[in-house]
Amino acid sequence: MSQTLTQEFDALAKYGALKADIPEDITGNLAPKIELRPYQRTALERWLFYIDKYEARPKAPHLLFHMATGSGKTVLMAALILDLYRRGYRNFLFFVNSAQIIEKTKENFLNPASAKHLFAPSVRIDDKPVDIREVDTFDAVNMDAINIHFTTIQGLHRRMTEPKENSVTIEDFRDYKVVMISDEAHHLNAETKTKDKLTKDEAAERLSWEGTVSQISRQHPENILLEFTATVDLTNDAIRAKYADKILYDYDLKQFRKDGYSKDIELRQADLPPVERMLQAVVLSQYRRKVAEAHGLHCKPVILMKSRYVNQSKKGDAPFSMENQLAFHKLIEGLTGERLEALRAASADDETLTKAFDFIMDERAMSAADFARELKGDFAPEKVVNVNDTKDLENRQIELNALEDRDNEIRVIFAVDKLNEGWDVLNLFDIVRLYDTRDGKANKVGKTTMAEAQLIGRGARYFPFMAPDQPDAAREKRKYDSAVDTPLRILEELHYHCSHNPKYIQDIRNALRETGMLDDTARTVRLRLKDSFKQTSLYVREYVWTNDRMRNPRDGVAGLDAYKIEGPFTYPNLMTGRVTEASAFGDERAKSKPSSKEPVSRDFKLAGFGKAILGFAMDANDFFHFANLRTYFPQLASASQFVTSDTYLGGVTVSVRGLPDDLDNLTARQKLDIAQYVLHQIESGVKRESVEYIGTTDFKPYPIKDRFTDKVLKLRIEGETGLSWTESNVPGLDQIDLSSKDWHAYDDSYGTDQEKHFIKYLHDQEARLRGIYDDFYLLRNEKAVKLYDFDTGRAFEPDFVLFLRKKGEEASTILQLFIEPKGDQLRPQNDWKQDFLAQVKAKARLETVFQGRHYNVLGLPFFNETGQTNTDFKAAFETEVLDA
């Protein structure tokens, strides 16, 4: 069986063949707030290789990006549009299945004021401004602009079969090459799915959405079709065969969750009527808001109330007010402090609700009556919407796409299935299922239950925030898997509230498992410090020393060479008098006008273009405004110095290729274009080489008892990771009773095989250590302390901190070691950590005598039981610890 395209590219990726720099025309023209995630970069690297180097690429590519809900497919679409523009494409057809998604999509692509706008305020490609425009037809469009026609697949099909004046027609696709971008592309496969049920003639003659798209794609030899979806049905033989050579990148929901980009799902079962489940969700929603506020974060949590049928709720003269919605309004209007007190008392066994009430009514000292009044205001009718009317939903689509905005106060949405696709929401934290039926049979997931699981997956998009206690952690990834008892963990969870129905719970678990949102390998464990360790003088009175991170002062930066900016630059675009025709993807054929002279290359000093030209070029680029330049070049005295000094632009040379007569008589416009090109290259180089932060060499003391505490961890069982000491399969561990080892501060170990091998190694050295030191203690570092790489400020949490203490005649000496066991497969991307650990002894500055004790801090090479690095580790341990 031949390889699929995905398998072929996966194999290439293993050998590093796909690695590539993402062009500045892409990264520099996305919205400033957008930083491409690693998997988005991987998708773009695959695209660049496919287009530029893949020998089996057809002339008119048809590709599918199969990527998880919430993974930022629209960001990838925007990046591909930018890349295709630089390859000569100007016309883009964007189509989706549902009309309600169109306005939201236009907002994201076209409105610079939108919080979710995808492009930079000013798009420049090849140093020329590029407009992004919506068009009704591709006839007579601006060929210097990105022209996008937005439509539904149904509308597109209608226009192709029933053409009208001033609308897109089949001729548009015959006369102009077009990139077709299909979102939620699984809807295109209706014909493929049913083809086996039709006769050959019927299948050939059938006009369908899928057929329309195929027909358009064939109109021009260079048309491109790019599909995006999270839910292509690869279990269907016909669809799997159709996409075998088309799925360029497969990044499923399971991997998305595993990489930390989604909320964790918590199923809350309650043997209560729907109105009581609604009240629990309201309390938890407000709890989230208050926890965020207490940590200086803005978060307005949203609840989705999910009904099964629209007509379940129609009443009298209120056709769009659902029964459940009316019940909700009545609940909030009549809410009292007494009812909240009763709910608190009844929830004594509910850990999450108990935390909520304790935080709000005890820590924040809010009375039950005041809490009730606050909920009445925050969940008033004007902050509740019903989206079951299609026309009203289309009008509200932009509002529903901006639920995270500060001026958007919607707190509750009532829906049936109108939000199952195309809804981009990050601050949905509660889904309340307001019905108790199930459609699963014989352990098979029913259609309704699968739709519910897919809705949960849509709601599980992570709410990005900067954690005050982890300023360097990624905003868009979970931060508290290793500390689930942290208050901010509530912002990393989606609660799905349903009735207590064991058969349904099994159904929804199976559905979540199929979609990849349920982690069967996850377990929650409590890691406790031993009582005996908590009573030691080391824990009570001693300190752990760590460094900090600071902005890079760039004290040594005195010119462009500090950022490895080297010339001469080569300007590629001066007109030479020759005309060429080329396919967007190669196959260049040159047609030359007769010329008496051939093009030559000539070097120019950039400063020779004059201060006026360079000043204008710098003014047009915010990066070269003096205030910004000073952040990168702190010794720079003036903008004039930057232009004239040999260490800055005065020393820059650019090579320009063109006809001799043209080079002899460069126009002011040409000089400006050349200057802007060179400045753009310098900007890219400075940003690429610039280091924003460094780790301080000053180490400061923090009480051990404040940093190392009992922990609740959520772990994924992978190999040894997640297995306790007694569950471990590492040979020899069964001979060691870890609970009786006073030097092992925690009561258990759930680490990797290498971490357990290291603990065994330390156990084997116990006798020698006791002969040298009065006591020693090993502490597992579960986000207790963090170090920062001296060179770049990257954060690093070594797995263990080992304290060794011996008493002297005048003062005791405490040796603190940072230790990191590491498997061979993780070495390449972590070598910088080992380099940093090797520098700690020489670079760390601390008060060696502090409160009457001598302190010394150092790091050791990686520990690896079977790897070459263990020779280095054992030698260092022998020298620094055993021979000390």
Side-chain angles (χ1 to χ4, degrees), residues 533 535-539 541-542 742-743 766 769-778 802-807 812-815 881:
F533 175 71
Q535 296 169 13
T536 63
S537 60
L538 182 93
Y539 185 73
R541 296 200 303 269
E542 299 299 351
D742 61 350
W743 52 264
E766 180 178 356
L769 290 169
R770 293 204 183 280
I772 302 169
Y773 300 94
D774 295 305
D775 50 31
F776 68 95
Y777 298 96
L778 182 68
L802 177 63
F803 294 94
L804 305 108
R805 182 169 56 174
K806 58 182 176 182
K807 297 175 182 176
S812 61
T813 298
I814 298 174
L815 182 62
V881 179

Side-chain angles (χ1 to χ4, degrees), residues 27-164:
T27 56
N29 286 310
L30 293 173
K33 66 180 182 298
I34 294 176
E35 182 175 346
L36 291 172
R37 296 176 179 179
Y39 61 84
Q40 291 168 329
R41 286 185 170 274
T42 297
L44 287 172
E45 288 171 350
R46 290 185 174 217
W47 160 260
L48 294 170
F49 184 92
Y50 181 88
I51 290 300
D52 292 329
K53 300 179 182 179
Y54 186 55
E55 294 180 356
R57 171 186 56 76
K59 192 171 184 180
H62 174 188
L63 296 171
L64 172 67
F65 293 86
H66 189 215
M67 299 177 68
T69 296
S71 61
K73 293 188 288 293
T74 52
V75 170
L76 189 56
M77 293 175 199
L80 292 174
I81 286 172
L82 293 167
D83 187 63
L84 284 162
Y85 181 92
R86 75 187 184 100
R87 296 176 185 274
Y89 283 83
R90 299 295 183 266
N91 300 324
F92 299 85
L93 174 68
F94 185 98
F95 55 95
V96 293
N97 177 59
S98 172
Q100 71 197 43
I101 303 174
I102 290 293
E103 291 307 315
K104 178 227 22 172
T105 304
K106 290 181 182 178
E107 186 82 355
N108 294 350
F109 275 82
L110 302 173
N111 182 7
S114 170
K116 296 182 180 179
H117 186 57
L118 295 165
F119 297 103
S122 175
V123 173
R124 295 186 68 87
I125 297 178
D126 290 334
D127 281 322
K128 296 177 181 177
V130 178
D131 290 335
I132 301 171
R133 300 180 175 185
E134 179 185 6
V135 297
D136 294 325
T137 175
F138 295 128
D139 189 29
V141 296
N142 183 340
M143 293 308 292
D144 289 328
I146 291 172
N147 306 293
I148 309 177
H149 179 72
F150 297 91
T151 183
T152 62
I153 180 61
Q154 301 95 321
L156 181 65
H157 176 66
R158 203 161 45 245
R159 292 187 188 97
M160 295 302 102
T161 56
E162 304 170 15
K164 293 182 180 180

Side-chain angles (χ1 to χ4, degrees), residues 223-252:
N223 280 351
I224 296 176
L225 174 57
L226 302 177
E227 300 183 32
F228 298 81
T229 186
T231 53
V232 67
D233 184 10
L234 294 177
T235 61
N236 182 284
D237 290 341
I239 293 178
R240 187 169 61 253
K242 173 183 175 180
Y243 285 106
D245 62 346
K246 296 177 178 64
I247 300 180
L248 183 64
Y249 190 39
D250 192 355
Y251 185 72
D252 61 18

Side-chain angles (χ1 to χ4, degrees), residues 540-561:
V540 174
R541 296 200 303 269
E542 299 299 351
Y543 298 84
V544 58
W545 296 74
T546 63
N547 71 337
D548 209 338
R549 188 177 72 165
M550 63 179 287
R551 283 203 170 273
N552 183 4
R554 299 186 172 98
D555 293 334
V557 175
L560 294 177
D561 60 348

Side-chain angles (χ1 to χ4, degrees), residues 164 178 236 250 369 399 443 471 595 601 612 696 735 757 870:
K164 293 182 180 180
V178 175
N236 182 284
D250 192 355
E399 182 183 25
N443 288 325
S595 174
S601 295
T696 62
Q735 305 299 313
H757 275 300
N870 230 32

